[in-house]
């Protein structure tokens, strides 16, 4: 189901086939060219998380709403660790990443992104009522700090190590931010660097606090393969439709409304 196959298919059968293809999504033993598989990394509330064994969250609802506006059919969701999502995409295990993934130059060299769908800064989470209350990144010096592997939060910590502010041995990486926050609660680390909306979600139901915000102006986009221009265009137009028709705002209220 990669973009090349689909383009070859369209070239040989003509673009009019798109309509009937969309109409018979699910038939044809998985060989349907308009069916896509989404990949995400749960444990990042409220964007993607497991609730009673079910994958839920803003990204899940948003991507489903966006794809519903296109000729594509979302067949299923596959779960990975965050750092495995880009390799899963480039090896055709999935067709789109919806994982609060920040659009940045490094990732842009390997994959493409949809237009931005959410903006966020980084923040630093500490234990509630603890002695450690940093107010800027340099205050993390001499403390144990955690982040999820492969994230922009981890990049912030790496910069502190590179400029000599932090010791490499004080940096703990985790496969998921849920594990990092558990280690923070347990006192194994003193701070976690992560996206602010997620930090606020953890702070709302665990004994942890946002100590300070690091302004990074990150934008999240859906990740797609560089050769999947048709899917990229479809997602971008689906995204503008859900923004115009109020669905996007409804989902923001549903997943972020009760906060603060
Ligand atoms: N926005 C950050 C990044 O792109 C963190 C994303 C983590 N996402 C997740 N589903 N765990 O690196």
């Amino acid at each position: 189901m990669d973009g090349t196959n689909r383009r070859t298919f369209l070239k040989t059968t003509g673009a009019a086939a798109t309509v009937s293809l969309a109409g018979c999504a699910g038939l044809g033993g998985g060989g349907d060219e308009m069916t896509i598989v989404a990949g995400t990394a749960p444990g990042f509330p409220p964007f993607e998380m497991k609730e009673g064994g079910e994958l839920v969250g803003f990204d899940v609802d948003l991507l489903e709403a966006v794809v519903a506006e296109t000729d594509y059919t979302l067949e299923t969701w596959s779960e990975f660790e965050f750092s495995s999502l880009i390799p899963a995409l480039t090896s055709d295990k999935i067709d789109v990443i919806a994982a609060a993934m920040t659009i940045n130059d490094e990732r842009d060299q390997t994959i493409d992104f949809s237009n931005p769908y959410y903006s966020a800064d980084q923040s630093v989470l500490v234990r509630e009522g603890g002695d450690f209350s940093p107010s800027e990144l340099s205050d993390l010096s001499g403390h144990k700090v955690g982040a999820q592997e492969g994230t922009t939060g981890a990049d912030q910590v790496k910069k502190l190590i590179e400029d000599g502010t932090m010791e490499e041995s004080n940096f703990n990486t985790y496969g998921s931010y849920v594990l990092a926050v558990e280690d923070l609660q347990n006192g194994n680390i003193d701070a976690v660097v992560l996206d602010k909306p997620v930090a606020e979600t953890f702070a709302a139901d665990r004994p942890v606090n946002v100590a300070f915000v690091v302004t990074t102006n990150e934008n999240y986009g859906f990740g797609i393969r560089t050769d999947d221009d048709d899917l990229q265009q479809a997602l971008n137009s689906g995204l503008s439709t859900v923004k115009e028709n109020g669905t996007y705002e409804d989902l923001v209220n549903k997943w972020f409304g009760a906060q603060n």
Side-chain angles (χ1 to χ4, degrees), residues 40-42 44 48 82 99-102 107 122 148 150-153 177 195 218 220:
T40 192
F44 205 64
E48 40 268 342
F82 186 75
M101 186 176 275
T102 301
R107 293 170 181 161
Q122 292 295 306
Q148 184 179 24
T151 59
T152 50
Y177 269 118
D195 302 42
E218 290 169 56
Y220 301 164

Side-chain angles (χ1 to χ4, degrees), residues 4-258:
T4 320
N5 285 345
R6 177 166 182 265
R7 264 195 301 281
T8 313
F9 183 88
L10 290 179
K11 240 179 251 159
T12 50
T13 59
T18 318
V19 176
S20 58
L21 256 183
C24 61
L27 301 177
D32 196 307
E33 309 299 344
M34 297 296 281
T35 307
I36 54 170
V37 175
T40 192
F44 205 64
F47 293 95
E48 40 268 342
M49 64 266 202
K50 300 301 283 271
E51 266 178 22
E54 202 194 336
L55 177 69
V56 296
F58 176 77
D59 283 341
V60 178
D61 282 354
L62 180 64
L63 184 69
E64 288 179 359
V66 166
V67 172
E69 298 297 336
T70 72
D71 290 335
Y72 290 84
T73 303
L74 187 50
E75 186 189 333
T76 187
W77 284 86
S78 260
E79 295 167 20
F80 296 86
E81 283 196 352
F82 186 75
S83 58
S84 301
L85 284 167
I86 291 179
L89 180 67
T90 56
S91 63
D92 293 349
K93 289 191 182 72
I94 55 176
D95 304 297
V96 57
I97 297 170
M101 186 176 275
T102 301
I103 302 169
N104 66 25
D105 290 345
E106 193 193 335
R107 293 170 181 161
D108 231 350
Q109 285 171 13
T110 318
I111 63 170
D112 276 344
F113 285 98
S114 69
N115 289 330
Y117 67 82
Y118 202 86
S119 301
D121 290 315
Q122 292 295 306
S123 67
V124 173
L125 206 54
V126 295
R127 268 182 307 283
E128 194 170 74
D131 315 328
F132 185 48
S133 39
S135 55
E136 56 186 20
L137 284 170
S138 59
D139 295 340
L140 299 181
S141 171
H143 287 267
K144 287 204 169 290
V145 180
Q148 184 179 24
E149 208 177 331
T151 59
T152 50
D155 289 343
Q156 291 290 330
V157 183
K158 283 187 201 155
K159 268 201 276 175
L160 294 177
I161 294 168
E162 274 157 31
D163 71 17
T165 306
M166 254 188 70
E167 300 270 297
E168 175 133 41
S169 58
N170 275 340
F171 182 28
N172 285 13
T173 56
Y174 299 86
S176 132
Y177 269 118
V178 172
L179 299 174
V181 173
E182 276 166 12
D183 244 14
L184 175 64
Q185 288 179 237
N186 292 339
N188 293 329
I189 54 175
D190 292 325
V192 176
V193 183
L194 78 172
D195 302 42
K196 179 172 170 255
V198 180
E200 286 171 341
T201 307
F202 281 121
D205 36 81
R206 290 167 187 250
V208 293
N209 271 339
V210 177
F212 64 95
V213 171
V214 185
T215 306
T216 53
N217 298 313
E218 290 169 56
N219 284 308
Y220 301 164
F222 299 126
I224 48 253
R225 278 183 293 277
T226 49
D227 64 356
D228 234 348
D229 300 350
D230 296 338
L231 179 57
Q232 185 181 35
Q233 273 166 34
L235 293 177
N236 284 341
S237 83
L239 207 47
S240 33
T241 305
V242 301
K243 281 189 178 169
E244 279 156 22
N245 70 16
T247 304
Y248 180 88
E249 206 189 326
D250 289 347
L251 292 179
V252 168
N253 291 335
K254 173 179 173 188
W255 292 104
F256 301 93

